[in-house]
Amino acid sequence: MEQSTLNNSDLPAIEGGKPARETKIFYGHQYIDEADVEAVVEVLRHGDLTCGPKIKELEDKLCCLTGAKYAVVCSNGTAALHMSALAAGVGEGDEVITTPITFAASANCALYCGARPVFADIDPETYNIDPQKVEEAITERTKAVVVVDYTGQSVALDPIRKICREHNLILIEDGAHVIGTKYRGQANGSISDMTTFSFHPVKTVTGGEGGAVLTNDEMLYQKLLLYRAHGITRNTDLMAHEPDGSWYYEQVDLGYNYRMTDIQAALIISQLDKLPMFSKRRKEIVERYNEAFAKLPSLFVQREIPESDTTRHLYILRIVPEKLRIDRRQFFDALAAENVCCNVHYIPTYYFPYYEKLGYRRGLCPNAEKLYEEIISLPLYYAMTDEDVESVIEAVTKIAVYYAKE
Ligand SMILES: *Cc1c(COP(=O)(O)O)cnc(C)c1O
């Protein structure tokens, strides 16, 4: 009797054992406290809903946090990338180098501008874009490089910046995962020509939706302001004609409505107060996961570069297929049966039918394609309890041990 109970808890739930958790846990979830609620309600009761003082307050706060000179907040991270590509002067016939292991928006921003994304492969152990592969992908048409701090670990920015300087390319850092991370002691956001943030609810800091572009360059800053609001300006220095009166403004370029509301800005300002706390907890969970999974030969732990002090947005579990009797899909399904509901970040961008129609084919980036076959994003978010973390470790360990090859 006792023997069978013991066996039952070692048996993966998918094989009829007892699940590691009774309730489902998901890979990410926002954390909203009373201060956040108050901040939003205050805007609703007394504030301007859009174009009000919360926008500037948030921009100042992002500059303060990162050390960047200028910040332009906007409607979401995708808009931030589009505005950055426009400000970089990306247009028809240009090429933009990026990684395939990212959300589609990192490459789509080139397409929005009539340019062609060119995919450079990743480093097989850090999973970030490989600087050497970036250099190899450069042609006379290359205008910009969009790097992604995948999972929140900083890209090797020094070598990438050197390459961009030598080839006269604009460096856009898609920092949707990176808020709270430092590269060589300097906050990401103040290093590349432009860095974009996203405040989607799965990200470390949220506004429901929201984005930002950070830069140290005054010229890029002025362009970003224009692209955020229809290409319209009230700055007389930028006008072609004498103002007709104090109501006068001019549309001097083709921009968009990519504004953020003050409601979102107030929420993000309040969330940013919790960033040190969010970072600390995420680091603790990552350390605990790494410690547990490093012991298992059928799992590979993502390599950290010493230059990056990482606030991790995603925790990537990577299987070593040669050491397991099951593949990633079966591992994923076995975790779901344990009530650990994961995700996969990311399907290589050029696998999508839209990209296939544009002529992209599988085989472009072998390291990225291999990674995609082996990864699962585990639950990682501030509000996870120690019991949650241990139950995820229990589930992963149970499956990795049970299905290990002899
Ligand atoms: C979330 C994300 C985006 C897009 O941000 P949105 O705010 O959802 O538009 C872009 N790139 C990466 C890497 C992301 O994770």
Side-chain angles (χ1 to χ4, degrees), residues 86-151:
L86 289 167
V90 172
E92 211 71 47
D94 291 336
E95 291 176 354
V96 175
I97 298 169
T98 192
T99 166
I101 297 295
T102 181
F103 184 62
S106 314
N108 286 348
C109 67
L111 295 177
Y112 294 158
C113 299
R116 186 168 175 84
V118 173
F119 294 97
D121 208 352
I122 55 163
D123 177 288
E125 296 191 344
T126 67
Y127 318 150
N128 272 333
I129 200 165
D130 179 342
Q132 196 182 329
K133 295 287 162 43
V134 171
E135 190 149 39
E136 287 166 16
I138 295 170
T139 72
E140 68 279 6
R141 290 169 181 263
T142 310
K143 189 77 172 212
V145 178
V146 177
V147 297
V148 178
D149 307 292
Y150 175 66
T151 74

Coordinates of all heavy atoms in Angstrom, one line a residue, residues 86-151:
L86 N 11.2 54.3 -38.1 CA 11.0 55.6 -38.9 C 12.0 56.6 -38.5 O 12.6 57.2 -39.4 CB 9.6 56.1 -38.6 CG 8.4 55.3 -39.2 CD1 7.1 55.8 -38.5 CD2 8.3 55.4 -40.7
A87 N 12.3 56.8 -37.2 CA 13.3 57.8 -36.8 C 14.7 57.5 -37.3 O 15.5 58.3 -37.6 CB 13.2 57.9 -35.3
A88 N 14.9 56.1 -37.4 CA 16.2 55.7 -37.9 C 16.3 55.9 -39.4 O 17.4 55.7 -40.0 CB 16.4 54.2 -37.6
G89 N 15.2 56.3 -40.1 CA 15.2 56.6 -41.5 C 15.1 55.3 -42.3 O 15.4 55.3 -43.5
V90 N 14.6 54.2 -41.7 CA 14.4 53.0 -42.5 C 13.3 53.2 -43.5 O 12.2 53.7 -43.2 CB 14.0 51.9 -41.5 CG1 13.6 50.6 -42.3 CG2 15.2 51.6 -40.5
G91 N 13.5 52.8 -44.7 CA 12.5 53.0 -45.8 C 12.6 51.9 -46.9 O 13.4 51.0 -46.7
E92 N 11.8 52.2 -47.9 CA 11.8 51.3 -49.1 C 13.2 50.9 -49.5 O 14.1 51.7 -49.7 CB 11.1 52.1 -50.2 CG 10.3 51.3 -51.2 CD 9.0 50.8 -50.6 OE1 8.3 51.5 -49.9 OE2 8.8 49.6 -50.8
G93 N 13.4 49.5 -49.7 CA 14.6 49.1 -50.3 C 15.7 48.8 -49.2 O 16.8 48.2 -49.5
D94 N 15.5 49.3 -48.0 CA 16.5 49.1 -46.9 C 16.4 47.7 -46.4 O 15.4 47.0 -46.5 CB 16.3 50.1 -45.8 CG 16.7 51.5 -46.2 OD1 17.4 51.7 -47.2 OD2 16.1 52.5 -45.6
E95 N 17.5 47.3 -45.6 CA 17.5 46.0 -44.9 C 17.7 46.3 -43.4 O 18.4 47.3 -43.1 CB 18.6 45.1 -45.4 CG 18.3 44.6 -46.8 CD 19.5 43.8 -47.4 OE1 20.5 43.7 -46.7 OE2 19.3 43.2 -48.5
V96 N 17.0 45.6 -42.6 CA 17.1 45.7 -41.1 C 17.5 44.3 -40.6 O 16.7 43.3 -40.8 CB 15.8 46.2 -40.5 CG1 15.9 46.2 -39.0 CG2 15.5 47.6 -41.0
I97 N 18.6 44.2 -39.9 CA 19.0 42.9 -39.3 C 18.4 42.7 -38.0 O 18.4 43.6 -37.1 CB 20.6 42.9 -39.3 CG1 21.2 43.0 -40.7 CG2 21.0 41.6 -38.6 CD1 22.7 43.2 -40.7
T98 N 17.8 41.5 -37.8 CA 17.3 41.2 -36.4 C 17.4 39.7 -36.2 O 17.8 38.9 -37.0 CB 15.8 41.7 -36.3 OG1 15.4 41.6 -34.9 CG2 14.8 40.9 -37.1
T99 N 16.9 39.3 -35.0 CA 16.9 37.9 -34.6 C 15.6 37.2 -34.9 O 14.6 37.9 -34.8 CB 17.2 37.7 -33.1 OG1 16.9 36.4 -32.6 CG2 16.3 38.7 -32.3
P100 N 15.6 35.9 -35.2 CA 14.3 35.2 -35.4 C 13.7 34.8 -34.0 O 12.5 34.5 -34.0 CB 14.6 34.0 -36.2 CG 16.1 33.7 -35.9 CD 16.7 35.0 -35.5
I101 N 14.5 34.8 -32.9 CA 13.9 34.3 -31.7 C 13.4 35.5 -30.9 O 14.0 36.1 -30.0 CB 15.0 33.5 -30.8 CG1 15.4 32.2 -31.6 CG2 14.4 33.1 -29.5 CD1 14.2 31.2 -31.8
T102 N 12.2 35.9 -31.3 CA 11.6 37.1 -30.7 C 10.1 37.2 -31.1 O 9.7 36.3 -31.9 CB 12.3 38.4 -31.2 OG1 11.7 39.6 -30.6 CG2 12.2 38.5 -32.8
F103 N 9.4 38.1 -30.5 CA 8.0 38.3 -31.0 C 8.1 39.0 -32.4 O 9.0 39.7 -32.7 CB 7.3 39.2 -29.9 CG 5.9 39.5 -30.3 CD1 5.0 38.4 -30.3 CD2 5.4 40.7 -30.5 CE1 3.6 38.6 -30.6 CE2 4.1 41.0 -30.8 CZ 3.2 39.9 -30.8
A104 N 7.1 38.7 -33.2 CA 7.1 39.1 -34.6 C 7.3 40.6 -34.8 O 7.8 41.0 -35.8 CB 5.8 38.7 -35.3
A105 N 6.9 41.4 -33.8 CA 7.0 42.9 -33.9 C 8.4 43.4 -34.2 O 8.6 44.4 -34.9 CB 6.5 43.6 -32.7
S106 N 9.4 42.6 -33.7 CA 10.8 43.1 -33.9 C 11.2 43.1 -35.4 O 12.0 44.0 -35.8 CB 11.8 42.1 -33.2 OG 11.4 41.8 -31.9
A107 N 10.6 42.2 -36.2 CA 10.9 42.2 -37.6 C 9.8 43.0 -38.4 O 10.1 43.7 -39.4 CB 11.0 40.8 -38.1
N108 N 8.6 42.9 -37.9 CA 7.5 43.6 -38.6 C 7.7 45.1 -38.7 O 7.3 45.7 -39.7 CB 6.2 43.4 -37.8 CG 5.6 42.0 -38.0 OD1 6.0 41.3 -38.8 ND2 4.6 41.7 -37.1
C109 N 8.5 45.7 -37.8 CA 8.7 47.2 -37.8 C 9.5 47.5 -39.1 O 9.3 48.6 -39.6 CB 9.4 47.7 -36.6 SG 11.0 47.1 -36.3
A110 N 10.3 46.6 -39.6 CA 11.0 46.9 -40.9 C 10.0 46.8 -42.0 O 10.0 47.7 -42.9 CB 12.1 45.9 -41.1
L111 N 9.1 45.8 -42.0 CA 8.1 45.7 -43.0 C 7.2 46.9 -43.1 O 6.8 47.4 -44.2 CB 7.3 44.4 -42.8 CG 8.0 43.1 -42.9 CD1 7.1 41.9 -42.7 CD2 8.7 42.9 -44.3
Y112 N 6.8 47.4 -41.9 CA 5.9 48.6 -41.9 C 6.5 49.8 -42.7 O 5.8 50.6 -43.2 CB 5.8 49.1 -40.4 CG 5.0 48.3 -39.5 CD1 5.2 48.4 -38.1 CD2 4.1 47.3 -39.9 CE1 4.6 47.6 -37.2 CE2 3.5 46.5 -39.0 CZ 3.7 46.7 -37.6 OH 3.0 45.9 -36.7
C113 N 7.9 49.8 -42.7 CA 8.6 50.9 -43.4 C 9.0 50.6 -44.8 O 9.7 51.3 -45.4 CB 9.8 51.3 -42.6 SG 9.5 51.8 -40.9
G114 N 8.5 49.4 -45.3 CA 8.9 49.0 -46.7 C 10.2 48.4 -46.8 O 10.7 48.2 -47.9
A115 N 10.9 48.1 -45.7 CA 12.2 47.5 -45.7 C 12.1 46.0 -45.5 O 11.0 45.4 -45.2 CB 13.1 48.1 -44.6
R116 N 13.3 45.3 -45.7 CA 13.3 43.9 -45.6 C 14.0 43.4 -44.3 O 15.2 43.8 -44.1 CB 14.0 43.3 -46.8 CG 14.0 41.8 -46.9 CD 14.4 41.3 -48.3 NE 14.5 39.8 -48.3 CZ 13.5 39.0 -48.5 NH1 12.3 39.5 -48.7 NH2 13.6 37.7 -48.4
P117 N 13.4 42.6 -43.5 CA 14.1 42.1 -42.3 C 15.1 41.0 -42.8 O 14.8 40.2 -43.7 CB 13.0 41.4 -41.5 CG 11.7 41.9 -42.0 CD 12.0 42.2 -43.5
V118 N 16.3 41.0 -42.2 CA 17.3 40.0 -42.5 C 17.6 39.3 -41.2 O 17.9 40.0 -40.2 CB 18.6 40.7 -43.1 CG1 19.7 39.7 -43.3 CG2 18.3 41.3 -44.5
F119 N 17.5 38.0 -41.1 CA 17.6 37.3 -39.9 C 19.0 36.8 -39.7 O 19.6 36.2 -40.5 CB 16.6 36.2 -39.8 CG 15.2 36.6 -39.8 CD1 14.4 36.7 -40.9 CD2 14.6 37.1 -38.6 CE1 13.1 37.2 -40.9 CE2 13.3 37.6 -38.6 CZ 12.6 37.6 -39.8
A120 N 19.6 37.2 -38.5 CA 20.9 36.7 -38.1 C 20.7 35.7 -37.0 O 19.9 35.9 -36.1 CB 21.8 37.9 -37.7
D121 N 21.6 34.7 -37.0 CA 21.4 33.6 -36.0 C 21.8 34.0 -34.6 O 22.5 35.0 -34.4 CB 22.1 32.4 -36.5 CG 21.5 31.1 -36.0 OD1 20.5 31.1 -35.2 OD2 21.9 30.0 -36.4
I122 N 21.4 33.2 -33.7 CA 21.6 33.4 -32.2 C 22.9 32.7 -31.8 O 23.3 31.7 -32.4 CB 20.4 33.0 -31.4 CG1 20.1 31.5 -31.6 CG2 19.2 33.9 -31.7 CD1 19.2 30.9 -30.6
D123 N 23.4 33.1 -30.6 CA 24.4 32.4 -29.9 C 23.7 31.1 -29.3 O 22.6 31.3 -28.7 CB 25.0 33.2 -28.8 CG 26.0 32.5 -27.9 OD1 25.5 31.6 -27.1 OD2 27.1 32.8 -28.0
P124 N 24.2 29.9 -29.5 CA 23.5 28.7 -29.0 C 23.3 28.6 -27.5 O 22.5 27.8 -27.0 CB 24.3 27.6 -29.6 CG 25.6 28.1 -29.9 CD 25.5 29.6 -30.1
E125 N 24.0 29.4 -26.7 CA 24.0 29.2 -25.3 C 23.3 30.4 -24.5 O 22.7 30.2 -23.5 CB 25.4 28.9 -24.7 CG 25.9 27.6 -25.2 CD 27.2 27.2 -24.5 OE1 27.8 28.0 -23.8 OE2 27.5 26.0 -24.7
T126 N 23.5 31.6 -25.0 CA 22.8 32.8 -24.4 C 21.5 33.0 -25.1 O 20.6 33.7 -24.5 CB 23.6 34.1 -24.5 OG1 23.7 34.4 -25.9 CG2 25.0 33.9 -24.0
Y127 N 21.3 32.5 -26.3 CA 20.1 32.7 -27.2 C 19.9 34.1 -27.7 O 18.9 34.4 -28.4 CB 18.8 32.2 -26.4 CG 19.0 30.9 -25.6 CD1 18.2 30.7 -24.5 CD2 19.8 29.9 -26.0 CE1 18.3 29.6 -23.7 CE2 20.0 28.8 -25.2 CZ 19.2 28.6 -24.1 OH 19.3 27.5 -23.4
N128 N 20.9 35.0 -27.4 CA 20.8 36.3 -28.0 C 21.5 36.4 -29.4 O 22.3 35.5 -29.6 CB 21.4 37.3 -27.1 CG 20.4 37.9 -26.0 OD1 19.2 37.9 -26.3 ND2 20.9 38.3 -24.9
I129 N 21.2 37.4 -30.1 CA 21.8 37.5 -31.5 C 23.3 37.5 -31.4 O 23.9 38.0 -30.5 CB 21.2 38.8 -32.2 CG1 21.4 38.7 -33.7 CG2 21.9 40.0 -31.6 CD1 20.6 39.8 -34.4
D130 N 23.9 36.8 -32.3 CA 25.4 36.6 -32.3 C 26.0 37.8 -33.1 O 25.7 37.9 -34.3 CB 25.7 35.2 -33.0 CG 27.1 34.9 -33.1 OD1 28.0 35.8 -33.0 OD2 27.5 33.7 -33.3
P131 N 26.8 38.6 -32.4 CA 27.4 39.8 -33.1 C 28.1 39.4 -34.4 O 28.0 40.2 -35.4 CB 28.4 40.3 -32.1 CG 27.9 39.8 -30.8 CD 27.2 38.5 -31.0
Q132 N 28.8 38.3 -34.5 CA 29.5 37.9 -35.7 C 28.5 37.6 -36.8 O 28.7 38.0 -38.0 CB 30.3 36.6 -35.4 CG 31.3 36.5 -36.5 CD 32.2 35.2 -36.3 OE1 32.5 34.8 -35.2 NE2 32.6 34.6 -37.4
K133 N 27.3 37.0 -36.5 CA 26.3 36.8 -37.5 C 25.7 38.1 -38.0 O 25.3 38.2 -39.2 CB 25.2 35.9 -37.0 CG 25.7 34.5 -36.6 CD 26.0 33.7 -37.9 CE 26.9 32.4 -37.7 NZ 26.6 31.6 -36.6
V134 N 25.6 39.1 -37.1 CA 25.2 40.4 -37.5 C 26.1 41.0 -38.6 O 25.7 41.4 -39.6 CB 25.1 41.4 -36.3 CG1 24.8 42.8 -36.8 CG2 24.0 40.9 -35.3
E135 N 27.4 40.9 -38.2 CA 28.4 41.5 -39.2 C 28.3 40.8 -40.5 O 28.4 41.5 -41.6 CB 29.8 41.4 -38.6 CG 30.8 42.1 -39.3 CD 32.0 42.7 -38.5 OE1 32.4 41.9 -37.5 OE2 32.4 43.8 -38.7
E136 N 28.2 39.5 -40.5 CA 28.1 38.7 -41.8 C 26.9 39.1 -42.6 O 26.9 38.9 -43.8 CB 28.1 37.2 -41.5 CG 29.4 36.7 -41.0 CD 29.3 35.3 -40.4 OE1 28.3 34.6 -40.6 OE2 30.3 34.9 -39.7
A137 N 25.8 39.6 -42.0 CA 24.6 39.9 -42.7 C 24.5 41.3 -43.3 O 23.6 41.6 -44.0 CB 23.4 39.7 -41.7
I138 N 25.5 42.1 -43.0 CA 25.5 43.5 -43.4 C 25.7 43.6 -44.9 O 26.6 42.9 -45.5 CB 26.6 44.3 -42.7 CG1 26.2 44.4 -41.2 CG2 26.7 45.7 -43.3 CD1 27.3 45.0 -40.3
T139 N 24.9 44.4 -45.6 CA 25.1 44.7 -47.0 C 25.1 46.2 -47.2 O 24.9 46.9 -46.2 CB 24.0 44.1 -47.9 OG1 22.8 44.8 -47.7 CG2 23.7 42.6 -47.6
E140 N 25.2 46.7 -48.4 CA 25.2 48.1 -48.6 C 23.8 48.7 -48.4 O 23.6 49.9 -48.3 CB 25.8 48.5 -50.0 CG 25.0 48.1 -51.2 CD 25.3 46.7 -51.6 OE1 25.9 45.9 -50.9 OE2 24.8 46.3 -52.7
R141 N 22.8 47.8 -48.3 CA 21.4 48.2 -48.1 C 21.0 48.3 -46.6 O 20.0 48.8 -46.2 CB 20.4 47.2 -48.7 CG 20.4 47.3 -50.2 CD 19.6 46.1 -50.8 NE 19.6 46.1 -52.3 CZ 18.7 46.7 -53.0 NH1 17.6 47.1 -52.4 NH2 18.7 46.7 -54.3
T142 N 21.9 47.7 -45.7 CA 21.5 47.7 -44.3 C 21.5 49.1 -43.7 O 22.4 49.9 -43.9 CB 22.6 46.8 -43.5 OG1 22.8 45.6 -44.2 CG2 22.1 46.6 -42.1
K143 N 20.4 49.3 -43.0 CA 20.2 50.6 -42.4 C 20.2 50.6 -40.9 O 20.7 51.5 -40.2 CB 18.8 51.1 -42.9 CG 18.5 52.6 -42.5 CD 19.2 53.5 -43.5 CE 18.8 54.9 -43.3 NZ 18.9 55.6 -44.6
A144 N 19.7 49.5 -40.3 CA 19.6 49.5 -38.9 C 19.7 48.0 -38.4 O 19.5 47.1 -39.2 CB 18.2 50.0 -38.4
V145 N 19.9 47.8 -37.1 CA 20.0 46.5 -36.5 C 19.0 46.6 -35.3 O 19.1 47.5 -34.5 CB 21.4 46.2 -36.0 CG1 21.4 44.8 -35.3 CG2 22.4 46.2 -37.1
V146 N 18.1 45.6 -35.3 CA 17.2 45.5 -34.1 C 17.6 44.3 -33.3 O 17.4 43.2 -33.7 CB 15.7 45.4 -34.6 CG1 14.8 45.2 -33.4 CG2 15.2 46.6 -35.4
V147 N 18.2 44.6 -32.1 CA 18.5 43.5 -31.2 C 17.5 43.3 -30.2 O 16.7 44.2 -29.9 CB 19.9 43.7 -30.6 CG1 21.0 43.7 -31.6 CG2 20.0 44.9 -29.7
V148 N 17.4 42.1 -29.6 CA 16.4 41.8 -28.6 C 17.1 41.2 -27.4 O 17.8 40.3 -27.5 CB 15.3 40.8 -29.1 CG1 14.3 40.4 -28.1 CG2 14.6 41.3 -30.4
D149 N 16.8 41.8 -26.2 CA 17.4 41.3 -25.0 C 16.5 40.1 -24.5 O 15.7 40.3 -23.6 CB 17.5 42.4 -23.9 CG 18.2 43.6 -24.4 OD1 19.4 43.5 -24.6 OD2 17.5 44.6 -24.6
Y150 N 16.7 39.0 -25.2 CA 15.8 37.9 -25.0 C 15.8 37.3 -23.6 O 16.9 37.1 -23.0 CB 16.2 36.8 -26.0 CG 15.5 35.5 -25.9 CD1 14.1 35.4 -26.2 CD2 16.1 34.3 -25.5 CE1 13.4 34.2 -26.1 CE2 15.4 33.1 -25.4 CZ 14.1 33.0 -25.7 OH 13.5 31.8 -25.6
T151 N 14.7 37.2 -23.0 CA 14.4 36.8 -21.6 C 14.8 37.8 -20.6 O 14.6 37.6 -19.4 CB 15.1 35.4 -21.2 OG1 16.5 35.7 -21.0 CG2 14.9 34.3 -22.2

